[in-house]
Amino acid sequence: MTTRNGLGPTMDAEPVSEELSFGPFRIFPRARLLERDGAPLSLGSRAFDLLHILVSRAGEVVSKGELIAGAWPGLTVDETNLRFHITQLRRALGESRDGEPYIANVTGRGYSFVAPVGRGVSPSKQVQSSETPPSSHLPPRPLRIIGREADIVALAELLAARRFVTLRGPGGIGKTTLATASAHALRGRFTDGVRFLDLGSLRDPQHVVIALASALGMLVPVGDPSPRLMDSLRDREMLLVFDSCEHVVDAVARLAEQIYQQAPGVSLLTTSRESLEVAGEVVFALAPLENPPESLSGETDLGKYSSTRLFMECAVAAGCSPSLSGAESEMVARICRKLDGVPLAIELVASRLSAHALIEIDELIEGRLRLAWRGRRTAPLRHQSLSAALDWSYELISPAERILLEYLSVFPGPFTIEGAVAVACESGEPGVSTDGFEQLIAKSLVSSRPEAGRLRFRLLDTTRAYATEKLAASGSANAAGLRHARYVLQALRPRSYEPGGESPGGWNCRAELLSDARVALAWAFSGEADRELRTSLAAVCTRLFVELNLLEECRGWAARALAGPDDADGDPAAKVELLWAFGHAAMFTERTGQECEAAFWQGLKLAQQLGDLQNQFRLLSRLHALYRRTDQRKLLLQVASLAQGVADRAADPAALARAHTFVGIALHLTGDQRLARERLQAGEDGDAAIPNLPVDHFASPRGTHILSCTNLWLLGLPDQAVGIAERLMRPNANPDLVMYCAGVCYAARVYRWTGDLGALEAAIDLLEGYSRKHGFGPMLTVSFALRGELHIARGDVEEGVKLLQSALPRMIADRFETHSGALTIALVQGLAALGRLEEALASMDARIDAVAARGDSWDTPELLRVRAELRSRSGDHSGADHELLAAMDLAERQSALSWLLRAASSRVRLSGSGDGVALAQLREIHGRFSEGFDTADLRAARDILQRASS
């Protein structure tokens, strides 16, 4: 009894075969078949032999020698091969219901199968007798199926439900292997068996019908055999497999549609590089094997990923050791990613390990060799090398489609339909059109996937290498490179700070063009592009590098573009952009020297000549950041004033809000905290009033400025300062990682002032991590100095002084001086704690003189206070009190209530609690605070007052 759809179980009386069962598994030794829950589970030949031996002797300890002799009869095999296959076997079986592995390792003796095993027979899996439907039409069962177990099950279910399935995918993806394995797994489920037709050798489409008639044992009549063929199939229950249909696709499509409509008991499985596109067809798009992620660590198990598992099996078969170091594991993962998880490519490359070391393979596959390496001699010609596999597809497409494929090879990665049209479909070659692009997708030469609501396309790396060779041979490589460079230029040209530029949404919206930008720049500077294209292209690409925080790359390309001879007929707007980008990148990746400053001023002058107010403001923004970090406070005020004038002329709300912020920062750093707060607040209010402002408007963060936290602390509002510091520390607080790190620096300062050493340490760790990762050298130095300050605060004074004495000179050399005052204070306090009082006083004198030479500063009251304490320790009590009074007076004039509290507290400590005037001053100053009573300075002041009153 059988079911009419041909996929139900057969119940006819036939000879039976032995069956072994355990857990959800059943083994049929004669058929060399393993099932889990009734579905076939693929194992390699060696692994199946090992499993059969262990299950047959369940409960016994089977020695390693017995297992090797049983699985590798007559061969001398290293024990590592046995361990490798046992590992693969354990992974395939998983764990029992008790959570234990089925196979136990008995140290020094061998292995034992520890689960209960049942023995019996199964009528549905018996070996076929002479009366059973013939299976000689099937190719041999594949010995190794890796990563396709779920596909075999899914394909069986799809055939049961729909009867007609096309396995579609590019050459070498494993269509034939999967179709063969599935046919073997399903052959017992069809009354009339399976017929497998390899159409790869056919050249005449008319022979397709004849080939099927011959496979069915029919005498082929003169004329069209289709009517007799349909009569023969109408009452049969069988599976027909048509393999490699792409070169005779029209003939197969007509025949398959007829069979589907006229023979309801016949199921159809076709393999092709393109769909048949006929009634009844369901397409099963075969995906590449699973690759390890880019972030793979050396300890990651390569056996977890089907691509690397296949690679290792092939490598072991070629005589390599299955044991890899962490670096070698990463290399294997990288090779499989380069090969796009294509099984044929992996097999061909891994087989070369008998002749090349792994590191050589990694290097060689970048070039022509991987296309030429040959595989099994017994494989079909189209599968004997990657080049042959691609030749097969290339010969099947039209001349116009070949040109299109070659032009598409200039894309280094995924691309959009707009990119394809711009580079290839509008190449000027006759006959090339978007219809051809659709045909390349249909024929599996171009793959597609949805991403962020739109389709993205790409060529597999091997296909790209092949098409690149064809492009070079055609003489069109330069034309394709030019069209690609122009496409990148147009795609990157809109900027969100321009009217009509990109819509809001962050700085990473064009990250998908990064690889294209790199390839286009490399081509443009190779000698093929004209000067104007180079400059314009470099300008938009360096802007992208800034948006993606790739500042080293930005600086290199900008410098290269600017190094060429001046061209009066060039693009001056592009030169402005390059000068901005070079100065911005250099400021944060190397010592901030005259080159950086000169680039900003040169760009500003050129922008003024062009009447470009937007870029004038952007350049002033960068100059403001430069003078802020170099502590040039007079120049900072001048630049802030210039920015205010440009914003007024531009009448741009965002520029006006930012100009308020620039003036506020200058006032904050020169010591007028009250007016600074008014301007900073005006900037914040201005930003808040602008809906949907892009985050990179004028290349500066919007909303609360990073220096607001230090301004609020100085004003005597510690809790509000900490609140802003916490916001600055949040992940993704600013998409510009340079500004994010700058915010973390100021957050760290607030945490130190408030005495939260745990939060300070977290800020230092964050700053150091980002600086190392992104090459922000000067900020990395700041993180070292802050860690020295933390050591001193925690009592590890010697280590802290050592770090600070190393980092501070580098900070000064880097002209990263905004934070050097507070860090100098930490150093001199550490020196004093070590008894090096004279050295501490000399360092403090030098710092105060350097600050005074540049005018009023926000940290002068604190510098005076610390020097007063040093003088008191050296015995100069009168001079110390005089300096403390000067610090208090200056702090009062600066509206720096927190500095005032510190100076007043020091005066009471140094003069003693008997000084009623000093105590009254401290009590009055303490009373002005409305928040922050749990912070370090307010707790210390409260303790002084409580001791004095007790």
Side-chain angles (χ1 to χ4, degrees), residues 330-645:
E330 291 180 14
M331 210 175 298
V332 168
R334 184 166 58 250
I335 289 170
C336 289
R337 284 194 295 268
K338 288 178 181 178
L339 299 174
D340 291 299
V342 175
L344 176 62
I346 292 171
E347 290 179 359
L348 294 176
V349 170
S351 68
R352 311 311 294 182
L353 283 169
S354 59
H356 301 281
L358 191 60
I359 190 170
E360 294 173 332
I361 293 285
D362 190 23
E363 295 169 353
L364 289 172
I365 62 170
E366 293 292 350
R368 175 75 179 83
L369 282 177
R370 64 166 162 178
L371 296 173
W373 281 338
R374 300 192 68 80
R376 292 179 291 110
R377 291 185 176 89
T378 56
L381 289 177
R382 64 183 183 278
H383 286 164
Q384 287 191 4
S385 71
L386 295 176
S387 184
L390 289 162
D391 283 340
W392 176 266
S393 293
Y394 190 76
E395 295 301 324
L396 295 177
I397 59 178
S398 69
E401 289 165 357
R402 294 173 190 173
I403 293 170
L404 180 56
L405 180 68
E406 292 164 9
Y407 268 77
L408 290 175
S409 70
V410 299
F411 287 105
F415 53 88
T416 61
I417 183 65
E418 293 84 1
V421 168
V423 171
C425 297
E426 296 178 1
S427 62
E429 298 286 351
V432 177
S433 67
T434 54
D435 290 341
F437 181 63
E438 292 173 1
Q439 286 300 309
L440 293 180
I441 297 170
K443 294 170 181 175
S444 301
L445 286 166
V446 175
S447 61
S448 65
R449 71 173 187 271
E451 186 176 294
R454 64 186 306 193
L455 277 178
R456 302 272 289 161
F457 307 92
R458 68 183 292 261
L459 273 62
L460 298 182
D461 282 352
T462 302
T463 306
R464 183 181 301 110
Y466 178 89
T468 298
E469 285 192 359
K470 294 292 186 182
L471 180 66
S474 72
S476 300
N478 184 51
L482 176 61
R483 295 195 63 80
H484 180 255
R486 287 174 175 169
Y487 161 69
V488 172
L489 176 62
Q490 288 302 118
L492 289 176
R493 180 161 277 164
R495 295 186 292 255
S496 58
Y497 59 83
E498 293 179 336
E502 287 185 4
S503 61
W507 284 23
N508 294 324
C509 52
R510 292 179 292 168
E512 60 190 29
L513 290 166
L514 176 60
S515 296
D516 289 283
R518 289 166 170 162
V519 167
L521 282 171
W523 175 85
F525 282 84
S526 67
E528 301 292 348
D530 59 47
R531 168 70 181 164
E532 184 173 348
L533 176 61
R534 285 182 184 175
T535 303
S536 301
L537 182 66
V540 297
C541 290
T542 52
R543 171 66 174 170
L544 177 66
F545 296 149
V546 170
E547 293 175 359
L548 300 179
N549 302 293
L550 300 170
L551 298 190
E552 285 284 2
E553 198 167 356
C554 171
R555 180 167 60 87
W557 281 113
R560 190 170 177 182
L562 291 167
D566 286 334
D567 186 350
D569 298 325
D571 184 354
K575 188 170 184 180
V576 171
E577 182 73 31
L578 284 169
L579 289 164
W580 180 94
F582 173 79
H584 175 84
M587 180 165 54
F588 294 104
T589 56
E590 61 177 11
R591 292 184 172 180
T592 312
Q594 293 181 346
E595 265 191 333
C596 168
E597 186 175 3
F600 288 142
W601 283 111
Q602 184 183 354
L604 179 63
K605 181 179 178 180
L606 187 54
Q608 289 170 338
Q609 293 172 358
L610 296 171
D612 184 349
L613 294 176
Q614 287 92 346
N615 272 314
Q616 288 179 48
F617 197 93
R618 292 175 69 235
L619 286 154
L620 287 167
S621 167
R622 293 298 83 196
L623 279 166
H624 190 275
L626 173 66
Y627 294 141
R628 180 173 73 239
R629 60 174 285 186
T630 56
D631 203 28
Q632 294 176 273
R633 295 180 296 281
K634 292 179 182 178
L635 287 172
L636 192 65
L637 279 168
Q638 292 175 18
V639 167
S641 178
L642 287 172
Q644 181 75 69

Side-chain angles (χ1 to χ4, degrees), residues 44 52 145 167 205 228 255 267 300 359 420 454 625 639 643 822 885:
H52 185 208
I145 299 287
L167 270 175
R228 285 192 57 189
L255 177 60
S267 293
T300 300
I359 190 170
R454 64 186 306 193
V639 167
L885 288 172

Side-chain angles (χ1 to χ4, degrees), residues 649-668:
R649 292 197 299 277
D652 183 295
L656 290 167
R658 201 57 37 77
H660 279 302
T661 301
F662 292 163
V663 174
I665 292 168
L667 292 169
H668 170 47

